[in-house]
Amino acid sequence: MSTPDAPYHPIIYVRGYAMSRGEIDETTADPFCGFNLGSTMYRAVPNKTERPRKYVFESPVVRLASEYQYQDVYEDGYDIVDAEWEADSLGKPTGNKLGSRCIVIYRYYDAASTHLGSGKTPEIEDFARGLSELVARVRDLVCGNPDNKIKPADFRCYLVAHSMGGLVCRAFLQNPALDTEKVSKHVDKFFTYATPHNGIDVLGVNIPSWLGVNDISNFDRDKRMPAYLDLAAAAKKHKRVDLVPEARFPSRRIFTLVGSNRLDYEAAAGMSRSFVGHGSDGLVKIENATLCGLDAKGNLTEQCAKAVVYRAHSGFFGIVNSEEGFQNLARFLFGDVRVDLWLEIEEIRLPDKVQAQADAGRAVNALYQIEVLASPRGKLWYLTRRTTEEDSVACVAHADWQKNASLYLSSVFLANRARVNMQRKSLAYGMTLGVRVPDYEIEKRLWLNEHFEGGYLFRNALILEMVPPVNEGDAWKVKYAWQDAGVSMADTEIKATQLKSGRIEVSVPFDSSTVAANGKMKPTNPGIRGRLRFEIEGWNQ
């Protein structure tokens, strides 16, 4: 049953990993554990020598308060877990009430602090049990406030986590033994910033379980992670732990935000970004920061929603204190339309001379780098940004492209409240699709005869405009327009296919082509042909 204030449920924020004793003490000294930090700097291009653009982002806490009327839970210097929050030293009730639009900080490092705790860091299993207790506490306080008009059975909340905080949440959601209060069913959505869902790799090797200093072994995917995530059988079968059993929590209710700016991650004097390497946010590899569903038979189901943004793991250019991070969070939690983007490859054409070598039986290979950028109408930032220069592209090898012809790229959430023109019924976003000309190899030797560095097999921008159905029985209206050599409004209507899942599907064809002598378009060699497939559904309805 929907609660009266849906979709504005309580938000429980779970911070990331603190390595040293000093970092733990610093964390406990901050009432919002970093969720209150903003930034005035935006890295427009991946070049540290250029000045960053000034862009003021006040912090997630401020924006949730100013735009969505959320409030923190602190009263008279006390947290909701403190006995003094409800009654004073004489046992007299304080009269404090908890609204449903509240931000709750899970201060799990308090117990490890030399200031507020024993100075000994508990196990991640203890953190998960504590989260179960906190969700139960929030439920009891929210439902105990008659102004909210929410019954305990109908209570819902959101989990929002950074880095290791996402693993704490997963341990609570996935491992029944750690949900001591049996409250995981009350979690409506789960959002992670830069969480190492498949562990952390250093110099190409996963952190070993025996490296237990400062609890770094929590990121070992061979033994430690399968244990606390309750994934022993699945990890053995799939050789990975970035998996969520659908029976414990639905993959469609999870969003993973991935960072790709390793250059601005300054932890350990920059050594972290050097050891973790390319294709990371400076600490977590891009391929380790996403999740996939798992059915009852142990088979892979849907990939969880994801987006890639050019942000570092933390710091002034960090993923949490960023406009892109907040917009993805707010639209996932409160938005109205969800769009999942897939690239369907139907044909790849090699250069004529390379094709001749392939026909002669010589081994030919290439790596196709697929770029995609997506931004809503009227905004200066991208909801997802995957480019070659930022090591965040999706890749397909020529040798097996037919086996990987369907490629999930990202998800975009759109919100009616964010429309530039409130009189306009449609929601729209623009996206750029690019497929780089690869380095062709013949018998493992580079073929450079007609290579121009930085070229594209295909590159174009698309506007997708959607009008959701207003009344039951109404149909979606979807239009698009390729931008080609100029800007044009979406004017080509697409016929939508109704899927059994309740979503609709629309496809937009594309092909590498050029203008022939007769003025008509003709396919090019080399080239790529396929379609962009969009799965669209109403969100929070």
Side-chain angles (χ1 to χ4, degrees):
M1 178 179 176
S2 178
T3 61
D5 208 25
Y8 303 105
H9 305 305
I11 295 173
I12 299 177
Y13 174 69
V14 187
R15 68 148 288 137
Y17 173 64
M19 177 181 287
S20 66
R21 185 60 48 201
E23 289 176 349
I24 291 175
D25 287 342
E26 184 179 346
T27 294
T28 57
D30 180 350
F32 294 98
C33 297
F35 202 44
N36 55 319
L37 298 179
S39 175
T40 59
M41 295 186 288
Y42 174 72
R43 186 75 76 192
V45 294
N47 186 346
K48 290 191 69 174
T49 62
E50 291 191 20
R51 286 178 180 241
R53 178 192 300 166
K54 181 180 179 181
Y55 189 97
V56 177
F57 174 68
E58 306 95 316
S59 83
V61 167
V62 172
R63 290 290 287 276
L64 285 169
S66 63
E67 296 185 22
Y68 298 96
Q69 293 74 56
Y70 271 76
Q71 296 181 332
D72 66 72
V73 302
Y74 301 125
E75 297 287 351
D76 299 318
Y78 296 106
D79 195 357
I80 59 171
V81 297
D82 300 323
E84 295 89 344
W85 195 86
E86 285 189 287
D88 61 20
S89 58
L90 300 177
K92 183 179 178 181
T94 59
N96 292 329
K97 295 180 180 180
L98 194 63
S100 59
R101 296 199 194 195
C102 59
I103 302 172
V104 180
I105 308 299
Y106 180 29
R107 301 179 54 82
Y108 64 87
Y109 269 127
D110 281 7
S113 169
T114 56
H115 299 311
L116 302 177
S118 65
K120 182 180 179 181
T121 305
E123 299 288 339
I124 197 169
E125 288 89 342
D126 295 318
F127 295 153
R129 295 184 190 98
L131 180 56
S132 179
E133 294 169 2
L134 180 61
V135 171
R137 174 68 169 162
V138 175
R139 176 200 60 190
D140 293 345
L141 289 175
V142 167
C143 296
N145 179 358
D147 297 338
N148 294 324
K149 300 177 182 179
I150 298 174
K151 298 177 181 178
D154 299 328
F155 170 78
R156 296 294 182 270
C157 66
Y158 300 131
L159 295 182
V160 178
H162 175 227
S163 193
M164 191 187 80
L167 299 180
V168 173
C169 293
R170 286 182 60 197
F172 153 64
L173 291 171
Q174 295 181 213
N175 192 335
L178 303 180
D179 181 15
T180 54
E181 303 299 316
K182 310 303 178 189
V183 289
S184 61
K185 61 185 178 183
H186 293 302
V187 178
D188 185 73
K189 299 191 189 85
F190 174 35
F191 183 98
T192 66
Y193 296 97
T195 290
H197 289 296
N198 199 41
I200 290 178
D201 292 343
V202 178
L203 296 176
V205 179
N206 182 226
I207 291 173
S209 59
W210 51 262
L211 184 57
V213 60
N214 294 330
D215 301 296
I216 295 177
S217 60
N218 285 334
F219 310 112
D220 158 46
R221 62 174 166 263
D222 292 327
K223 295 181 180 180
R224 188 74 181 97
M225 293 179 71
Y228 65 74
L229 294 175
D230 194 29
L231 284 175
K236 185 177 181 180
K237 177 179 179 180
H238 298 287
K239 309 301 181 186
R240 52 191 282 197
V241 290
D242 52 346
L243 307 168
V244 177
E246 301 280 4
R248 292 296 302 169
F249 197 83
S251 60
R252 294 289 295 178
R253 310 300 287 179
I254 300 175
F255 191 110
T256 58
L257 190 63
V258 184
S260 63
N261 179 7
R262 71 182 183 91
L263 296 177
D264 282 313
Y265 188 56
E266 302 294 345
M271 287 190 294
S272 173
R273 63 170 179 257
S274 299
F275 291 141
V276 174
H278 292 277
S280 74
D281 61 11
L283 180 64
V284 181
K285 301 287 280 186
I286 290 174
E287 62 263 30
N288 288 339
T290 57
L291 280 170
C292 183
L294 198 69
D295 68 17
K297 296 182 180 179
N299 299 316
L300 303 181
T301 57
E302 291 190 78
Q303 294 185 61
C304 298
K306 69 178 178 183
V308 181
V309 295
Y310 188 62
R311 288 287 177 170
H313 190 77
S314 62
F316 292 123
F317 297 97
I319 194 168
V320 176
N321 52 320
S322 70
E323 186 71 35
E324 305 98 304
F326 180 76
Q327 290 294 339
N328 275 291
L329 170 67
R331 291 157 186 265
F332 172 65
L333 296 185
F334 316 127
D336 302 288
V337 171
R338 171 177 179 160
V339 184
D340 298 317
L341 171 62
W342 294 77
L343 179 72
E344 308 283 354
I345 303 174
E346 297 171 354
E347 179 187 29
I348 291 180
R349 301 184 293 273
L350 293 170
D352 292 336
K353 293 182 179 179
V354 176
Q355 183 62 55
Q357 296 295 318
D359 293 341
R362 303 189 73 189
V364 171
N365 204 1
L367 186 68
Y368 301 97
Q369 297 177 313
I370 299 161
E371 301 178 335
V372 59
L373 300 95
S375 61
R377 181 162 41 201
K379 306 303 179 183
L380 295 173
W381 31 261
Y382 295 104
L383 286 171
T384 195
R385 168 171 161 166
R386 307 185 68 175
T387 69
T388 301
E389 289 78 11
E390 296 163 10
D391 299 317
S392 54
V393 290
C395 295
V396 176
H398 184 81
D400 54 14
W401 74 264
Q402 290 175 314
K403 292 187 295 184
N404 300 311
S406 182
L407 192 64
Y408 167 60
L409 296 178
S410 70
S411 295
V412 169
F413 293 81
L414 302 172
N416 285 318
R417 73 184 306 276
R419 284 183 295 176
V420 177
N421 181 357
M422 288 298 175
Q423 303 305 312
R424 185 185 287 144
K425 296 180 180 179
S426 64
L427 291 169
Y429 75 93
M431 63 161 290
T432 299
L433 174 68
V435 182
R436 289 281 188 135
V437 173
D439 293 325
Y440 296 102
E441 293 181 357
I442 301 174
E443 297 292 346
K444 298 184 179 180
R445 295 180 181 179
L446 284 177
W447 181 82
L448 299 173
N449 296 27
E450 298 174 29
H451 177 79
F452 294 92
E453 186 66 26
Y456 286 86
L457 287 181
F458 179 87
R459 192 166 192 255
N460 207 340
L462 175 85
I463 301 296
L464 188 73
E465 190 155 5
M466 297 153 283
V467 179
V470 177
N471 303 308
E472 187 174 349
D474 290 351
W476 283 81
K477 295 181 180 179
V478 185
K479 296 181 179 181
Y480 78 94
W482 287 111
Q483 300 305 285
D484 294 316
V487 177
S488 59
M489 303 301 292
D491 54 8
T492 302
E493 191 162 346
I494 323 173
K495 183 178 180 181
T497 301
Q498 188 71 48
L499 302 178
K500 292 181 179 180
S501 61
R503 309 164 213 162
I504 64 164
E505 177 185 282
V506 297
S507 294
V508 177
F510 69 90
D511 196 354
S512 304
S513 58
T514 189
V515 180
N518 60 5
K520 296 183 179 180
M521 302 300 292
K522 68 173 184 178
T524 60
N525 283 5
I528 183 170
R529 177 173 59 85
R531 62 192 179 105
L532 289 172
R533 179 166 62 86
F534 301 89
E535 291 189 5
I536 306 171
E537 69 173 302
W539 195 243
N540 287 318
Q541 295 180 3

